[in-house]
Amino acid sequence: MPTHPSSTELESFRAEVREFLAHAVPEDIAAAVRANCLVTREQAQRWQHILHEQGWAAPGWPREHGGPGWSLAQQAVYREELAACDVPRFENLGIDTIGPTLMRHGTPEQKARFLPRMLSFEDFWAQGYSEPEAGSDLASLRTTARRDGECFVLSGTKIWQSYGHWANWVLVLARTDPSASRKQDGISVLLVDLAA
């Protein structure tokens, strides 16, 4: 558990972050941000590599999973400094949502396989929640997953995946127990390779 840094330590940390950001952002990426353009996947990947080399690719992750192990105050300072400069802004579900979910609920094998590849941007993740005529109302979920030996067979449609065109993996919610007594039950989370 990170300690609570003093105000002096936080100001020193802020200066370190500010100094790094002043020189780390490639000019083509900074120019795209200044022009209010969406960055490309290649630019986002390059930026993630820069942060990964610095050890800052996942500011909220603990050290044991490849993060910097920062306190909440340090994470806030870091995000303030990011917001004040010309860095790419894009949703990274692997870093912000799926990685922490795997840290808490994943198997040791899943953590070893997926977390390092999220940090390096080798894998970029989307989430498969929303469906036609249901949106993100999981009680109305229609996509099913039926076990077939060692695999699941998915049937259904997902929509509105933010940055889905960048993704090579997707976290899919699917109904695996159609006999569940409540509509909110019987839903499983599947990690799906989009090349499958």
Side-chain angles (χ1 to χ4, degrees):
M1 188 73 147
T3 59
H4 300 289
S6 68
S7 58
T8 303
E9 290 169 326
L10 275 180
E11 285 312 307
S12 175
F13 175 71
R14 183 182 299 278
E16 176 189 356
V17 171
R18 191 173 288 172
E19 173 65 20
F20 169 76
L21 293 174
H23 300 96
V25 186
E27 184 49 41
D28 67 304
I29 295 174
V33 172
R34 284 192 298 272
N36 294 315
C37 294
L38 294 175
V39 294
T40 66
R41 186 188 196 284
E42 183 276 331
Q43 288 172 317
Q45 185 170 23
R46 250 189 308 139
W47 178 239
Q48 185 73 12
H49 279 264
I50 291 166
L51 293 177
H52 185 43
E53 287 177 7
Q54 182 71 12
W56 296 354
W61 288 21
R63 287 185 198 277
E64 63 265 25
H65 294 300
W70 289 337
S71 68
L72 289 176
Q74 287 171 304
Q75 291 175 53
V77 165
Y78 178 71
R79 293 189 190 282
E80 286 172 1
E81 292 303 316
L82 286 177
C85 68
D86 297 325
V87 301
R89 289 161 181 83
F90 57 92
E91 187 175 21
N92 190 330
L93 291 170
I95 297 295
D96 297 332
T97 304
I98 298 165
T101 300
L102 285 175
M103 286 176 216
R104 183 170 181 130
H105 301 289
T107 65
E109 294 79 16
Q110 288 170 330
K111 293 173 193 176
R113 177 178 180 181
F114 293 114
L115 296 179
R117 293 178 61 92
M118 287 176 188
L119 289 170
S120 68
F121 210 110
E122 290 173 81
D123 291 335
F124 191 82
W125 288 74
Q127 63 185 18
Y129 293 1
S130 299
E131 297 186 357
E133 301 176 24
S136 297
D137 174 16
L138 296 182
S140 300
L141 190 77
R142 292 187 209 157
T143 296
T144 61
R146 178 183 48 81
R147 185 177 283 282
D148 183 9
E150 291 293 312
C151 300
F152 281 94
V153 177
L154 278 170
S155 299
T157 304
K158 297 293 184 177
I159 58 172
W160 309 120
Q161 285 103 20
S162 298
Y163 296 92
H165 61 296
W166 287 6
N168 58 330
W169 280 86
V170 62
L171 182 140
V172 174
L173 295 181
R175 198 166 291 286
T176 51
D177 182 4
S179 65
S181 60
R182 292 180 343 126
K183 289 181 179 182
Q184 293 84 354
D185 295 333
I187 297 171
S188 296
V189 175
L190 302 172
L191 308 179
V192 179
D193 183 345
L194 287 175

